[in-house]
Amino acid sequence: MSKNKEELEHRLRLRNIKLSDYDDIRAIMTSIYKNPGGAWTKEELKNQLRAFPEGQICIEDNGKVVAAALSLIVDYAQFGDNHTYDEITGYGKFDTHSDDGDTLYGTDVFVDKEYRGMRIGRRLYDARKELCENLNLRSIIAGGRIPGYANYADEMTPRKYIDLVKNKEIFDPVLSFQLANEFHVRKVITKYLPEDTDSRAYATLLEWINIYYEKDEKLIGNKKSIVRLGLVQWKMRRFSNVDDLMQQVEFFVDTVSGYKSDFCLLPEFFNAPLLAEFNDMDASEAIRNLADYTDEIVSRMSDLAVSYNVNVIGGSMPEYDGKKLRNVSYLCRRDGTQAKQYKLHITPDEAAYWGLQGGNGINVFDTDAGRIGILICYDVEFPELGRILAEQEMDILFVPFWTDTKNAFLRVNTCAKSRAIENECYVAITGSVGNLPKVENMDIQYSQAAIFSPSDFSFPHDAVVAQASENEETIIVADVDLDLLTKQRKAGSVRNLEQRRLDLYSIQWKQKK
């Protein structure tokens, strides 16, 4: 390779600034900042490096600095939104820097004119974001120049100009770049840099929010990121009594707990084999008698949840209060507390055979492993319910189901996949397999348990985290990463929750009185 060719090769390296870089930095700043005041002095750069060396970042090419980004940490509440550049930087001395602050404040980003168009500024912004996340700071805030405003100052306000830049009707060399890097404009600041005549001394107050920020770090008991799910694909078999049934339940809870799962999900009507005891009755009378066992089963499941240290979602069971027969799923938390979710939509078959009625409420439940929702079988086929839960910051949707045929199963399966994508959450489904020859209306079963995810680069290519074999009694155990959901909602290829046109439509829950 010739020497000339070697000299033409770029060798870019991201690193922290050193005082010996001053001449390169001064040359870039002087060429760019003719109006806003020129370059920092060497003494000012020395002070900045002394105050916060980790926050002063540059990119070099073959040993020469070609771009840089400067920042400090501040307790933002001490300054508020109506600050000036000089106030928040301590007139360039960075004596306003505080290691105990909550905000990374960006003071300068500049790129050598010969390196424009190489996306070097984006690399610096990404490095700042990484620094903000690693230091667990709430956000990055900066005062942004709007140099293009000089061409429009006589015909529109700064706010109008900013709106047009946001809508890409106008290009601003600074603001357009910042918006493309996921910053949003909080407000317009006046007299931010009085010497910035191009911006008419106006500036945008920009913010990038660190979605991983944890306000109060605890040594134990923090919100989990990796959550392990255990799903039981349950085989229907004859049980002579509740003790036999609970022996099988305990076997699966024990097994799932052995894999250190955070949740154990059972199917809808997993206790249906006990209906065989009432085979001489008609279907509606039999299921009301089955409801007599529900309280005992829930109590024993709750004990298992505590004993085996796993949150148990008890599929569903019938509940009868003497007036209404309903289908309910119990959440038995491993701290001993309980919650329940009624099935809201009743299939024509359930209404005709049993006289089931739907419940009237829906909730997101807090657990020690994330915020969860429960939709029983048919309910997952109504997208409004999943969206209402997603608006309450649900992380995982559990769907216990019972289906007799493959086409019935495919309705639940396909809709569950859709709920995961449109609501940017995980969805776990499981049902029962096998046959119950002496149980009317629940004689055959079809299931394939699965865990679904959103469909984007951070998740499995087919949006399936795990999937069981069809129609075999088994369990599946898999991990889901809740931090990936946070990333998806704020930085995904598409953002189904964030980008809804709420100016055109919304979903309203009508609470029954």
Side-chain angles (χ1 to χ4, degrees):
M1 183 181 292
S2 69
K3 183 177 180 181
N4 288 338
K5 189 172 182 180
E6 288 179 352
E7 289 174 350
L8 291 172
E9 281 187 341
H10 291 297
R11 296 187 179 176
L12 302 178
R13 185 164 76 97
L14 178 74
R15 62 172 174 81
N16 287 112
I17 293 172
K18 299 174 291 187
L19 189 59
S20 58
D21 297 319
Y22 177 72
D23 288 342
D24 291 340
I25 289 172
R26 182 186 61 183
I28 302 171
M29 293 188 74
T30 301
S31 67
I32 294 173
Y33 295 146
K34 292 179 180 178
N35 284 336
W40 294 112
T41 67
K42 191 169 185 177
E43 187 63 25
E44 287 170 330
L45 180 62
K46 185 177 180 180
N47 289 334
Q48 293 161 4
L49 293 174
R50 184 186 298 116
F52 184 35
E54 300 88 349
Q56 319 318 320
I57 305 164
C58 70
I59 293 177
E60 69 169 37
D61 185 14
N62 290 302
K64 177 186 177 182
V65 173
V66 298
L70 309 179
S71 60
L72 66 157
I73 299 173
V74 297
D75 180 357
Y76 192 71
Q78 292 184 6
F79 299 93
D81 288 348
N82 294 315
H83 58 268
T84 68
Y85 184 82
D86 286 338
E87 287 171 347
I88 205 157
T89 64
Y91 292 87
K93 293 180 294 203
F94 278 26
D95 55 7
T96 52
H97 171 81
S98 169
D99 288 332
D100 296 326
D102 62 354
T103 300
L104 186 67
Y105 195 90
T107 63
D108 295 274
V109 174
F110 42 86
V111 179
D112 190 309
K113 291 180 179 179
E114 294 184 7
Y115 286 78
R116 301 283 172 84
M118 295 177 62
R119 299 182 182 271
I120 288 178
R122 183 179 294 273
R123 296 192 193 194
L124 291 171
Y125 269 52
D126 288 344
R128 266 188 183 166
K129 292 173 185 177
E130 183 180 3
L131 180 65
C132 182
E133 291 172 355
N134 290 339
L135 292 174
N136 190 39
L137 299 174
R138 182 181 59 80
S139 64
I140 302 173
I141 287 182
R145 300 176 59 234
I146 44 174
Y149 181 59
N151 300 320
Y152 298 89
D154 294 336
E155 55 188 277
M156 65 181 70
T157 64
R159 184 164 296 281
K160 178 64 175 177
Y161 175 79
I162 291 167
D163 287 340
L164 291 173
V165 174
K166 285 181 181 178
N167 295 332
K168 300 187 182 301
E169 299 293 335
I170 294 175
F171 174 80
D172 183 276
V174 176
L175 180 56
S176 295
F177 170 75
Q178 291 163 328
L179 294 174
N181 279 275
E182 301 176 329
F183 279 74
H184 70 273
V185 179
R186 282 177 52 156
K187 64 171 294 183
V188 177
I189 312 176
T190 60
K191 300 180 181 178
Y192 181 70
L193 269 172
E195 62 269 30
D196 184 6
T197 56
D198 286 343
S199 303
R200 298 296 192 266
Y202 290 108
T204 54
L205 184 66
L206 296 148
E207 182 176 35
W208 176 84
I209 297 172
N210 176 13
I211 57 178
Y212 301 115
Y213 172 62
E214 293 286 348
K215 185 174 181 181
D216 296 309
E217 286 288 338
K218 297 182 288 185
L219 295 178
I220 60 173
N222 283 311
K223 178 184 177 182
K224 295 182 65 116
S225 171
I226 305 299
V227 175
R228 182 161 294 176
L229 310 184
L231 279 57
V232 178
Q233 188 156 275
W234 171 274
K235 183 177 180 179
M236 292 294 193
R237 51 169 64 83
R238 290 292 299 271
F239 295 115
S240 58
N241 52 48
V242 174
D243 287 338
D244 282 351
L245 174 80
M246 292 308 299
Q247 184 180 50
Q248 191 68 15
V249 171
E250 183 170 5
F251 165 77
F252 280 117
V253 171
D254 184 10
T255 302
V256 167
S257 173
Y259 290 101
K260 301 188 185 308
S261 298
D262 296 293
F263 291 98
C264 176
L265 176 65
L266 294 167
E268 180 183 24
F269 285 131
F270 69 95
N271 64 338
L274 296 177
L275 280 168
E277 180 183 345
F278 312 111
N279 198 46
D280 57 336
M281 304 177 184
D282 64 43
S284 62
E285 186 179 1
I287 199 166
R288 283 163 173 76
N289 278 273
L290 180 65
D292 290 340
Y293 294 125
T294 295
D295 286 347
E296 179 184 354
I297 294 172
V298 171
S299 176
R300 294 174 69 166
M301 278 198 311
S302 187
D303 290 341
L304 293 176
V306 174
S307 298
Y308 289 99
N309 191 31
V310 59
N311 298 297
V312 177
I313 300 171
S316 80
M317 292 170 281
E319 176 188 273
Y320 183 56
D321 63 2
K323 296 180 180 179
K324 290 184 178 181
L325 177 70
R326 293 184 289 190
N327 188 358
V328 61
S329 178
Y330 276 87
L331 166 63
C332 299
R333 299 184 184 90
R334 52 186 164 193
D335 65 0
T337 60
Q338 299 174 12
K340 61 183 178 180
Q341 174 62 56
Y342 288 105
K343 188 173 185 178
L344 304 186
H345 296 88
I346 305 303
T347 66
D349 185 76
E350 291 169 334
Y353 270 86
W354 294 330
L356 270 172
Q357 298 183 51
N360 297 318
I362 191 170
N363 296 286
V364 169
F365 304 106
D366 285 310
T367 73
D368 58 7
R371 288 172 62 79
I372 72 165
I374 302 171
L375 293 179
I376 302 172
C377 196
Y378 191 32
D379 280 343
V380 80
E381 299 178 33
F382 295 84
E384 299 90 346
L385 298 182
R387 180 50 50 85
I388 289 168
L389 293 172
E391 289 176 341
Q392 299 177 52
E393 300 180 345
M394 171 186 66
D395 299 311
I396 309 168
L397 175 61
F398 289 96
V399 183
F401 70 88
W402 171 82
T403 52
D404 51 355
T405 61
K406 186 169 185 177
N407 62 320
F409 161 74
L410 287 175
R411 288 195 297 270
V412 172
N413 180 274
T414 304
C415 290
K417 288 181 179 179
S418 298
R419 302 299 85 84
I421 292 171
E422 68 199 15
N423 296 308
E424 297 168 331
C425 65
Y426 295 106
V427 179
I429 68 170
T430 196
S432 52
V433 302
N435 306 295
L436 287 173
K438 293 186 177 294
V439 175
E440 185 179 357
N441 200 41
M442 295 200 73
D443 43 358
I444 60 174
Q445 328 284 319
Y446 192 104
S447 176
Q448 185 176 28
I451 302 168
F452 303 121
S453 72
S455 183
D456 211 337
F457 299 115
S458 299
F459 302 96
H461 75 280
D462 56 0
V464 179
V465 177
Q467 191 164 249
S469 300
E470 294 176 274
N471 294 329
E472 293 183 6
E473 184 171 48
T474 186
I475 65 169
I476 57 173
V477 176
D479 290 342
V480 296
D481 188 340
L482 303 189
D483 281 348
L484 291 182
L485 297 180
T486 305
K487 178 180 178 182
Q488 175 67 27
R489 292 162 184 165
K490 293 295 183 182
S493 299
V494 293
R495 302 160 202 173
N496 297 73
L497 288 176
E498 183 183 272
Q499 296 180 323
R500 288 171 294 158
R501 288 291 305 276
L502 297 179
D503 57 322
L504 300 179
Y505 60 85
S506 64
I507 296 175
Q508 180 183 0
W509 179 262
K510 298 180 179 179
Q511 185 66 46
K512 187 174 181 179
K513 295 181 180 180

